[in-house]
Amino acid sequence: MLNTQKIREISEYVQDQLPDSVSKHIPSRLPAFGKGSSNYPYAVTRIRAMRVKLFPRDAYPRFLNMSLDEITRKIGESEYKQDIDELSREYTGVNLIEHALNRNMAESSQKVLRITEGEPHELVREYLRVFDIDDIKTILRGKLHNIPEDQILQALVTGGALRYTFLSGLVTKNVDEIIASFSDSPYGPILKRFDGTNFPEIENELDKFYYENLFEAIGLPSSADRKQFDQFVRREIDIKNLSLLLRVKKYEALENAESEGTQCIIEDVSSMMIPHGLALDTDKLKSLCYDDFIEALRLTPYWDVISAVLENADLKSVSLTDVEARLTRFNLTKVTENSRRFLISIIPILEFIIYKSNEVRNLRIIIRGKSVGMDNELIKDRLVIL
Amino acid sequence: MEFTTEGLAALSKAIAIVGTGFASAWAEKVIGAAAVGAMVENESLFGKALVLTVLPETIVIFGLVVAILI
């Protein structure tokens, strides 16, 4: 009988035997077994039934044409009813909706965790840790910029392992106390490296840590659905890296244009790149000037998705938010296609989680945009409608 | 050991019944679990779910027919 230690040894031996060109793309992984019996048929059907209850795509244009009160009423009549009813004693208006959306997202994530068993449970749990990472970053960023506590609380989405009571307790503490609270957690060693000035580095380290853990949970993807899950995560990494590179390259190009220099000055962003992406050669892309960078992007699978925004566009008018929305939409479309191919697998479960978080994100954008009087077209550009 | 015609026929009948019995059981397990999952979220699906759950029972009926015909 193989035990976990033996499996790890075998896995490491196999890794050692792989040529560098292959192994450098594969983080240290165990084959995915020994995670108990799974209940895919039950979980997937139940989650598909939950997916049907999400707002359809034609609901968003209707929301855009409604007033804030009408949107609140409409959301209050939907799946968010219980959250709005219960929170209406504490909050009003935009704050009420914002808290209700976040709470509903957290409850949906926890429900998915309750429904699943064995392998899907493990995968979902690791995937949902993204909420923990985001919450830690939100609290620390808020504290560093002296954001009021109620505004920090409003931005928290407790979809991962960290509970709202724990996180709301952290919001009342100072930065050192917050870091000390995580000393026994897996995030402790990373947070301890915070020296007051290197917060962007800490944020990147947390992201890298999240993906390393997620890859470990996915294991060596042997089945077709596992491979799709693996590809989804790696595409997500590509999108994060590409968004960051675009931002940096645009900034560099604007800086160079302002200084009227003929030489292209490149910033070193190596430490900010998340490894193990799918199709982007970040080592090459990060060392290119803006024009060469755009030329190199033409050879990637993402060019068809973003060419409409970048092709022949004036540098200053390039909307990076639009690019990010297009890339996110592309990744979600891929998941939808695969969820129809792999009916009883992890993909439909993943699809629900990302569609739900996308719905919450879209509703927040509409509510926030409407409350500050943003133009409908501007709000629409930021939505990811599928 | 000698194989008689009657003995082989009886063995074939047994294989037909056992094979289709296991196939029905496996299919009903998967469909039943999925049906319960759907019903938890939407109770009105009970009628459809019940029909779908018992549908694989036809497999064992085919096995029975084959066993009778042997």
Side-chain angles (χ1 to χ4, degrees):
Chain A
M1 191 77 176
L2 288 173
N3 59 26
T4 312
Q5 181 59 34
K6 193 75 188 163
I7 294 165
R8 189 176 288 278
E9 281 170 21
I10 295 169
S11 176
E12 280 168 6
Y13 174 77
V14 172
Q15 292 257 303
D16 289 344
Q17 302 307 308
L18 290 169
D20 283 351
S21 56
V22 177
S23 61
K24 74 170 186 175
H25 293 297
I26 307 172
S28 172
R29 299 181 184 187
L30 289 173
F33 42 73
K35 288 174 179 168
S37 64
S38 52
N39 60 343
Y40 276 117
Y42 171 79
V44 168
T45 329
R46 192 165 170 189
I47 286 166
R48 275 190 191 277
M50 285 158 66
R51 160 99 164 76
V52 173
K53 293 176 189 168
L54 298 179
F55 284 118
R57 53 178 296 143
D58 57 357
Y60 296 108
R62 286 205 298 270
F63 280 137
L64 285 173
N65 293 324
M66 288 179 190
S67 70
L68 211 51
D69 289 337
E70 284 173 322
I71 298 172
T72 311
R73 206 186 63 235
K74 191 78 186 160
I75 293 176
E77 289 167 359
S78 66
E79 285 297 298
Y80 300 90
K81 184 179 187 312
Q82 196 187 346
D83 304 285
I84 290 195
D85 288 348
E86 286 177 19
L87 291 167
S88 59
R89 275 165 287 175
E90 278 182 76
Y91 307 99
T92 53
V94 177
N95 288 349
L96 171 64
I97 304 281
E98 191 107 23
H99 277 281
L101 292 175
N102 290 348
R103 196 175 107 150
N104 191 277
M105 177 71 229
E107 277 175 5
S108 298
S109 309
Q110 294 305 318
K111 189 174 173 184
V112 172
L113 276 176
R114 278 199 309 276
I115 291 171
T116 49
E117 281 174 14
E119 182 192 280
H121 180 83
E122 296 286 327
L123 288 173
V124 169
R125 196 182 59 192
E126 286 307 319
Y127 184 75
L128 290 176
R129 279 191 203 280
V130 71
F131 289 105
D132 291 342
I133 303 273
D134 283 348
D135 287 343
I136 295 171
K137 286 198 244 177
T138 306
I139 293 174
L140 284 173
R141 205 181 296 139
K143 283 286 164 188
L144 289 170
H145 293 94
N146 297 320
I147 306 288
E149 286 176 10
D150 59 325
Q151 281 186 30
I152 301 176
L153 284 174
Q154 210 169 300
L156 298 180
V157 185
T158 47
L162 302 176
R163 311 301 329 130
Y164 186 78
T165 330
F166 172 71
L167 292 169
S168 56
L170 289 182
V171 173
T172 58
K173 297 177 178 174
N174 64 36
V175 174
D176 291 336
E177 287 170 336
I178 294 170
I179 291 172
S181 307
F182 286 104
S183 57
D184 294 332
S185 80
Y187 313 112
I190 298 171
L191 294 176
K192 266 183 195 159
R193 292 204 286 273
F194 179 61
D195 62 8
T197 55
N198 61 344
F199 189 60
E201 279 172 39
I202 299 293
E203 284 189 308
N204 281 317
E205 287 300 313
L206 286 170
D207 283 339
K208 285 177 192 170
F209 175 76
Y210 164 70
Y211 283 112
E212 284 295 333
N213 273 323
L214 189 52
F215 279 131
E216 206 165 304
I218 296 170
L220 287 167
S222 50
S223 59
D225 64 312
R226 282 281 186 135
K227 281 181 187 150
Q228 292 303 325
F229 186 81
D230 182 70
Q231 283 192 7
F232 169 79
V233 176
R234 292 171 66 185
R235 214 179 284 117
E236 201 176 75
I237 292 176
D238 272 353
I239 292 172
K240 283 196 175 185
N241 284 339
L242 184 54
S243 305
L244 183 84
L245 281 170
L246 268 169
R247 219 165 279 265
V248 172
K249 294 297 158 194
K250 185 182 172 184
Y251 170 78
E252 282 171 1
L254 289 172
E255 284 284 299
N256 289 334
E258 256 180 44
S259 61
E260 292 173 1
T262 48
Q263 208 182 353
C264 152
I265 299 160
I266 308 281
E267 293 213 7
D268 184 18
V269 288
S270 314
S271 64
M272 294 160 92
M273 294 287 110
I274 303 168
H276 314 306
L278 186 66
L280 280 191
D281 183 356
T282 50
D283 287 339
K284 183 187 164 194
L285 290 173
K286 72 186 180 196
S287 60
L288 300 173
C289 294
Y290 185 79
D291 292 338
D292 297 334
F293 172 75
I294 297 294
E295 281 305 311
L297 277 187
R298 285 176 200 277
L299 305 173
T300 68
Y302 306 110
W303 179 250
D304 289 343
V305 184
I306 54 177
S307 59
V309 186
L310 297 175
E311 189 97 80
N312 304 323
D314 176 37
L315 186 60
K316 279 184 183 167
S317 64
V318 170
S319 163
L320 296 181
T321 323
D322 195 7
V323 172
E324 279 169 21
R326 280 166 185 266
L327 288 169
T328 311
R329 199 176 300 131
F330 171 69
N331 206 12
L332 298 194
T333 312
K334 286 275 176 196
V335 174
T336 314
E337 282 169 15
N338 288 322
S339 113
R340 289 177 195 137
R341 277 177 61 204
F342 304 99
L343 292 172
I344 305 289
S345 72
I346 186 68
I347 306 294
I349 301 174
L350 176 74
E351 186 198 23
F352 170 76
I353 296 171
I354 54 182
Y355 268 73
K356 179 73 192 177
S357 48
N358 189 51
E359 176 183 282
V360 168
R361 180 184 164 276
N362 281 344
L363 291 174
R364 285 177 76 167
I365 291 173
I366 294 174
I367 292 289
R368 279 285 154 202
K370 287 265 178 192
S371 69
V372 295
M374 256 170 87
D375 184 57
N376 274 355
E377 280 305 308
L378 217 56
I379 299 175
K380 202 176 168 188
D381 282 348
R382 278 156 178 74
L383 300 180
V384 176
I385 301 172
L386 294 151
Chain B
M1 199 166 75
E2 201 179 317
F3 290 102
T4 62
T5 317
E6 289 82 8
L8 285 172
L11 191 65
S12 308
K13 288 176 187 184
I15 291 171
I17 296 288
V18 169
T20 50
F22 272 111
S24 299
W26 181 81
E28 280 181 49
K29 177 202 151 206
V30 175
I31 298 173
V36 171
M39 277 190 296
V40 172
E41 292 299 320
N42 188 352
E43 282 177 30
S44 66
L45 292 172
F46 177 75
K48 283 180 191 170
L50 190 69
V51 172
L52 289 171
T53 308
V54 297
L55 215 55
E57 205 63 47
T58 50
I59 302 172
V60 81
I61 296 172
F62 292 143
L64 190 68
V65 170
V66 169
I68 291 167
L69 290 176
I70 290 171

